[in-house]
Amino acid sequence: KMILSDSIPLKINYSIIGTNTSKLVDVYPWNNFKKSLVENDYIRSNDNTNNFDFIKKYDDSIVFKKGIHKISDDIHISANSKVILNEGTTIDLLNNASIISKSPLFLKGTKKKPIKLISSDSTGQGIFLLKAKSKSVLNNVIFENLSAPNKNSWSLTGAVTFYESDVYISNCLFDNNINGDDFLNIVRSDFSITDSHFTNVNADAFDSDFSTGFMKEVVFDNIGNDGIDISGTKLKIENITMSKVGDKGISSGEKSDLIADRIEIYNSEIAICCKDNSTILIS
């Protein structure tokens, strides 16, 4: 056991396997690991849906009652259920609140009565699906004024994230996110996105990592960074329109395969980018 003080500099020599070069770097002090970081791990928090009177539990489902619900505390939903929100329901995330669910979502709004997941005080930290065992369905849902979760030592890049959770998205609006690298991030999942709209996005609109998906009739407007950014993904897109994109309209990277048909991109810094051993077939 070695005890070091800040007055004694510590350095370490290292080399990368396959090279003949050795490098010397400083070692910076780090606080002792605290057991509470694991005990209070946000991802491992217990289901707390019983704390909310507008959430009703049934044998195989968790139902949010219709109405406008202002939420100032995080909602944690355990696995093995279906989370159901019906038309006309609004979830207003306040005070940095988030929703994390290990059960699939069934958000079935209508054109006249969409479901809304918003943040009226612009602090809401979005929604995270983690290893849901069956496909989520989102129809006529508005996501607005949301940010990526950032809870103590844990954070995500997307305001809306599906991790190993298949999802079908249709007729949805992703509007005016506040903070985060991505508005919608899908990781290691199968997905489809149809008849939807991304607008007023602060960075990337849609980011797919190591997934397989389909996208059709989707509009991207006023995007701060990339419109579509895929890594290690197989994606087919049709009838996509983009305007005012700050960086790349479509970026295919990290050995992705993209098939694109009928694409229109206006006022983008770079229309289409293919990199890192990826392929793109466009017609």
Side-chain angles (χ1 to χ4, degrees):
K1 183 176 181 180
M2 185 187 305
I3 300 176
L4 299 173
S5 69
D6 293 341
S7 63
I8 303 176
L10 180 64
K11 296 180 180 292
I12 186 169
N13 278 300
Y14 77 95
S15 62
I16 298 174
I17 294 174
T19 69
N20 296 320
T21 303
S22 178
K23 294 186 177 183
L24 182 69
V25 295
D26 294 325
V27 176
Y28 296 99
W30 188 261
N31 292 332
N32 290 333
F33 179 77
K34 295 181 179 179
K35 187 178 179 181
S36 61
L37 289 176
V38 174
E39 293 173 342
N40 299 325
D41 185 359
Y42 182 76
I43 294 298
R44 293 174 175 83
S45 297
N46 293 326
D47 185 301
N48 67 345
T49 50
N50 289 332
N51 297 343
F52 302 90
D53 58 8
F54 56 85
I55 298 178
K56 301 299 180 184
K57 285 188 175 182
Y58 300 93
D59 290 341
D60 62 348
S61 61
I62 296 173
V63 180
F64 285 61
K65 293 171 61 176
K66 285 186 179 181
I68 300 174
H69 308 299
K70 295 183 179 294
I71 301 169
S72 297
D73 297 308
D74 298 332
I75 297 179
H76 295 268
I77 303 172
S78 59
N80 302 318
S81 294
K82 296 187 296 184
V83 181
I84 299 173
L85 276 72
N86 292 308
E87 61 181 43
T89 300
T90 295
I91 301 298
D92 188 1
L93 297 174
L94 308 172
N95 190 37
N96 301 306
S98 298
I99 298 175
I100 176 171
S101 176
K102 297 175 183 176
S103 293
L105 301 178
F106 291 84
L107 312 185
K108 296 185 178 181
T110 63
K111 188 174 182 179
K112 291 184 177 180
K113 294 182 179 181
I115 293 169
K116 297 180 181 180
L117 279 84
I118 65 172
S119 179
S120 60
D121 68 355
S122 299
T123 69
Q125 295 189 4
I127 185 165
F128 176 35
L129 263 287
L130 174 62
K131 296 186 177 183
K133 294 181 179 179
S134 59
K135 179 181 288 187
S136 294
V137 178
L138 282 59
N139 188 16
N140 283 292
V141 182
I142 295 173
F143 300 90
E144 187 175 40
N145 283 6
L146 302 176
S147 294
N150 190 342
K151 313 287 184 179
N152 298 321
S153 60
W154 176 85
S155 64
L156 292 175
T157 61
V160 181
T161 301
F162 290 83
Y163 181 88
E164 294 185 3
S165 301
D166 299 344
V167 60
Y168 171 75
I169 297 171
S170 64
N171 299 291
C172 289
L173 171 63
F174 297 83
D175 182 34
N176 193 45
N177 64 329
I178 308 300
N179 291 311
D181 292 340
D182 321 307
F183 203 146
L184 173 62
N185 186 202
I186 297 178
V187 184
R188 294 190 186 130
S189 307
D190 293 337
F191 67 88
S192 65
I193 304 172
T194 60
D195 302 292
S196 295
H197 196 164
F198 293 81
T199 183
N200 303 319
V201 178
N202 77 312
D204 291 352
F206 172 62
D207 191 337
S208 169
D209 300 303
F210 314 109
S211 298
T212 301
F214 172 72
M215 182 181 293
K216 183 177 181 180
E217 303 287 354
V218 180
V219 175
F220 298 80
D221 181 46
N222 195 27
I223 309 300
N225 203 51
D226 296 342
I228 297 173
D229 183 10
I230 63 174
S231 302
T233 289
K234 296 183 183 297
L235 176 64
K236 183 177 181 181
I237 59 177
E238 299 177 3
N239 292 352
I240 305 298
T241 302
M242 296 185 176
S243 61
K244 299 179 182 178
V245 181
D247 193 4
K248 299 176 286 291
I250 300 171
S251 178
S252 180
E254 292 77 46
K255 208 172 183 179
S256 292
D257 294 321
L258 175 68
I259 299 175
D261 186 22
R262 298 185 299 278
I263 312 299
E264 298 182 14
I265 302 174
Y266 304 93
N267 300 317
S268 174
E269 182 72 15
I270 298 171
I272 297 170
C273 173
C274 184
K275 57 190 176 69
D276 303 326
N277 205 25
S278 299
T279 63
I280 297 181
L281 175 63
I282 303 176
S283 59

